[in-house]
Amino acid sequence: MARYFKTLFELAPAGLIWGATWWLMFWLDGRVNLANMAMLLVLGAALASLWLPLARAILVSLGSVLLFNWCFVSPRGSLTVEGNQHLLLLAAMLALSCVTALLIASLRRQAALARRQAGQAERLRAFNDSLREARDWASLAPLLQAEMQTQLDASVQLMLLHQDQTLPQQNLPEAVQWQTDGGQAPSAEQSAGLWQCLRLAQAFGPGTGRFEEQPAWYLPIRGRGASLGAALLQPSRSQALDAGLLTHMQLLCTQMGLALERLATEHLAQLARDEAASQANRNALLAAISHDFRTPLACIMGAASSLLDQDARLSPAQRARLAATIIDETEALNNMTANSLQLARLDAPGVLLRLDWESAEEIVGAVLRRARQRHATLTSNADGPTASELQARLEPGLPLLRCDALLLTQLLGNLVDNAQKYAPRSCIEISARTALEGSARFIVLAVRDRGPGVGLAWRERIFEAFQRGAEQQHAAGPDATSRRGAGVGLAACRAIANAHGGRMRYRARRHGGASFECWLPSVTPPQAEEMSA
């Protein structure tokens, strides 16, 4: 019933046009000659053909000419025609009406084809956009299946090689991934056809020129290189005869193949970048070991040789200074080694941390104890300047940190060591507080001093590996030895912060000094009962 009313609604304009045409012809009967009235009928037929299908337009035109003969051509009330002139007029009316209907029908078909092609072009553009936004090999298959099912309204099954899989010599099920309707696997015959389509990179099925007796389309998913998969489509009988639809489906498969090639290329490029970065880290570590590690080793060897060869001629104070030198240089060498190895490990792709819920107070306390013990050991064995005063300031009620406690302890230890090197005899403060940035909440661990700070040009570069600042590179005098290093401490701090999803910042203090801050995202800890469970 709904279809019947839809047909009437579509044909209503043609009926109105014919009604108006006949009313006008009856009104003009006797006022104009027969030829002018015939032109009105031809005009009505042309306008009605804009809405009527071709067959109906020709039938209506034939009926209108016969009715025109009955009503207006003498003898009226009869289908007989007097004279060749009237017969020629009626034949011309019928011919013009049919030709007009044919031309309008052709224009309507061309307009419908143009609209269809424009719609396909728009859908293809949207499909290309969705493929371009995809970043995962497995996410592309559902996009192609959904697009094909939308346009074909039939079953679509896809077979794709895995991302790192080359075409095997035999048909191995584990070498491919499937995208099927409702999880229903294709039959053995269909699977064999898909593998054949994949290997030959050619389309099979009706209208393709190959194996046209097959009821389904087998379309290769190929790019500029080799074929990467195949699609099985089961169109209806009318769709199977539509060459334009087949071309469009193959174009979708080709776009899919290009997207797969792009992802494979990006994957290989990322592997190459990771390998290059890993190689650069290895080279930098070798350079640091061969250059910056020589000085503390030479100091240790010199002090140990003096203790061994000149023990009888050394005073107790001289022995203590040599022992302190060995301890100090060993500690420096240990720190450089730990930072270099940590930097190499954390900069590698896919690093995993030992995350647990930790207390910021315990981490800061461990750093304080280590720094004070080290200072006590050094000052008890050597005469030197009074070390920086070290204190802590923690915000009450700090939430737990989701972190690797050893890494954060190393981070704060590096910052304290740097502050003691470059801000001697100043107050050094370890602080922990919460901060808001936009809608995000952070826990900020900072080491602050009242030293000379860092020049504006070096405030970002100091966090890069093997960068120590212009002042430290040209340092000389009594402080040069104490400031020796490979320039990996702050780089390791940044790598540790980045591995925790945070970041390192340098902030110049208002009345002089520096503040090195580690901003870590605050994560809501689980409830007590969840932790106990």
Side-chain angles (χ1 to χ4, degrees):
M1 183 62 69
R3 185 177 180 181
Y4 174 76
F5 282 110
K6 181 181 179 181
T7 303
L8 288 180
F9 181 77
E10 293 174 350
L11 299 181
L16 292 176
I17 289 173
W18 276 117
T21 300
W22 280 101
W23 177 86
L24 187 60
M25 285 192 298
F26 278 111
W27 184 74
L28 292 176
D29 187 19
R31 303 181 183 184
V32 297
N33 58 31
L34 191 63
N36 291 328
M37 292 177 62
M39 294 301 298
L40 285 177
L41 187 142
V42 173
L43 177 61
L47 293 177
S49 297
L50 295 174
W51 286 272
L52 291 174
L54 177 61
R56 292 184 181 181
I58 292 177
L59 288 177
V60 171
S61 297
L62 177 60
S64 299
V65 170
L66 293 177
L67 187 59
F68 183 86
N69 181 26
W70 180 276
C71 296
F72 302 111
V73 178
S74 3
R76 299 191 179 194
S78 172
L79 293 179
T80 59
V81 179
E82 293 181 355
N84 296 331
Q85 183 177 3
H86 290 167
L87 182 61
L88 180 61
L89 176 64
L90 294 175
M93 290 169 55
L94 180 60
L96 286 175
S97 299
C98 292
V99 170
T100 302
L102 288 171
L103 292 176
I104 291 178
S106 176
L107 291 176
R108 288 171 64 183
R109 284 194 301 270
Q110 294 178 10
L113 179 61
R115 287 193 299 270
R116 175 184 172 184
Q117 292 176 346
Q120 288 180 344
E122 178 61 25
R123 287 192 295 269
L124 185 61
R125 183 197 62 78
F127 180 63
N128 287 336
D129 290 342
S130 62
L131 291 181
R132 187 165 53 250
E133 294 172 359
R135 291 294 178 267
D136 181 42
W137 185 281
S139 65
L140 291 176
L143 294 176
L144 178 61
Q145 185 186 40
E147 181 67 20
M148 285 184 163
Q149 287 178 337
T150 300
Q151 301 190 33
L152 197 63
D153 193 21
S155 175
V156 176
Q157 296 177 336
L158 305 178
M159 183 184 74
L160 297 178
L161 291 173
H162 290 297
Q163 186 168 5
D164 299 324
Q165 177 69 49
T166 58
L167 186 62
Q169 295 294 330
Q170 298 179 348
N171 299 344
L172 300 178
E174 60 271 16
V176 296
Q177 64 184 45
W178 295 92
Q179 184 71 30
T180 59
D181 292 331
Q184 183 179 1
S187 64
E189 181 182 356
Q190 292 173 339
S191 178
L194 287 170
W195 276 104
Q196 187 73 359
C197 179
L198 171 62
R199 293 186 181 281
L200 299 180
Q202 294 179 345
F204 304 149
T208 63
R210 303 177 188 86
F211 301 101
E212 296 202 11
E213 69 279 2
Q214 292 290 330
W217 285 333
Y218 293 85
L219 305 181
I221 300 175
R222 58 174 183 259
R224 294 184 179 89
S227 182
L228 301 173
L232 172 62
L233 293 78
Q234 297 179 344
S236 62
R237 179 170 298 181
S238 60
Q239 291 173 335
L241 301 177
D242 191 342
L245 181 61
L246 173 61
T247 302
H248 185 69
M249 293 295 107
Q250 182 59 71
L251 185 58
L252 291 177
C253 291
T254 302
Q255 294 299 322
M256 173 74 167
L258 293 174
L260 291 174
E261 283 188 344
R262 174 182 57 81
L263 284 182
T265 303
E266 291 178 355
H267 178 65
L268 292 176
Q270 184 61 43
L271 291 178
R273 286 192 295 268
D274 293 342
E275 180 62 27
S278 177
Q279 185 63 41
N281 285 335
R282 287 194 292 268
N283 293 339
L285 287 175
L286 290 175
I289 291 173
S290 63
H291 182 270
D292 294 286
F293 284 28
R294 287 180 180 178
T295 302
L297 287 173
C299 293
I300 294 171
M301 183 175 293
S305 298
S306 298
L307 287 174
L308 180 64
D309 298 337
Q310 304 179 20
D311 181 66
R313 289 177 289 179
L314 296 176
S315 65
Q318 290 174 324
R319 292 191 188 95
R321 280 195 295 271
L322 290 174
T325 299
I326 294 175
I327 293 174
D328 193 14
E329 296 299 334
T330 302
E331 182 71 20
L333 185 61
N334 179 67
N335 289 339
M336 285 191 291
T337 303
N339 287 328
S340 299
L341 295 177
Q342 206 65 268
L343 179 63
R345 184 176 76 90
L346 294 178
D347 279 346
V351 63
L352 296 178
L353 304 181
R354 298 189 187 97
L355 299 179
D356 203 352
W357 295 102
E358 304 289 349
S359 168
E361 292 86 350
E362 293 182 2
I363 294 175
V364 173
V367 175
L368 280 174
R369 287 191 299 271
R370 173 187 170 278
R372 287 169 178 167
Q373 289 171 1
R374 179 173 178 271
H375 168 61
T377 302
L378 294 177
T379 55
S380 64
N381 293 297
D383 297 328
T386 304
S388 308
E389 179 185 354
L390 195 60
Q391 60 183 355
R393 178 176 295 177
L394 287 84
E395 180 182 298
L398 285 172
L400 294 177
L401 284 168
R402 180 70 172 170
C403 65
D404 187 321
L406 292 178
L407 290 181
L408 285 192
T409 301
Q410 181 179 353
L411 181 149
L412 291 177
N414 288 344
L415 297 180
V416 170
D417 289 343
N418 276 358
Q420 289 176 336
K421 287 180 182 179
Y422 302 115
R425 294 175 296 279
S426 74
C427 178
I428 298 176
E429 179 183 276
I430 305 176
S431 70
R433 60 184 175 87
T434 58
L436 289 176
E437 189 174 79
S439 60
R441 188 184 184 197
F442 293 88
I443 299 176
V444 182
L445 304 177
V447 174
R448 304 187 289 186
D449 60 60
R450 288 296 181 184
V454 180
L456 188 62
W458 283 88
R459 290 181 180 178
E460 289 298 328
R461 294 178 62 186
I462 56 174
F463 291 107
E464 298 176 4
F466 312 106
Q467 298 289 336
R468 303 184 61 236
E471 298 84 354
Q472 286 69 46
Q473 290 175 2
H474 303 290
D479 290 337
T481 301
S482 64
R483 296 181 182 181
R484 215 170 34 234
V488 296
L490 291 178
C493 291
R494 184 176 68 172
I496 293 172
N498 291 342
H500 284 82
R503 59 186 180 274
M504 285 296 301
R505 286 182 176 178
Y506 170 83
R507 181 174 59 85
R509 302 186 73 181
R510 182 175 300 175
H511 300 294
S515 176
F516 288 88
E517 302 175 349
C518 174
W519 288 59
L520 299 175
S522 179
V523 182
T524 303
Q527 300 298 325
E529 59 271 12
E530 294 179 359
M531 295 181 66
S532 61

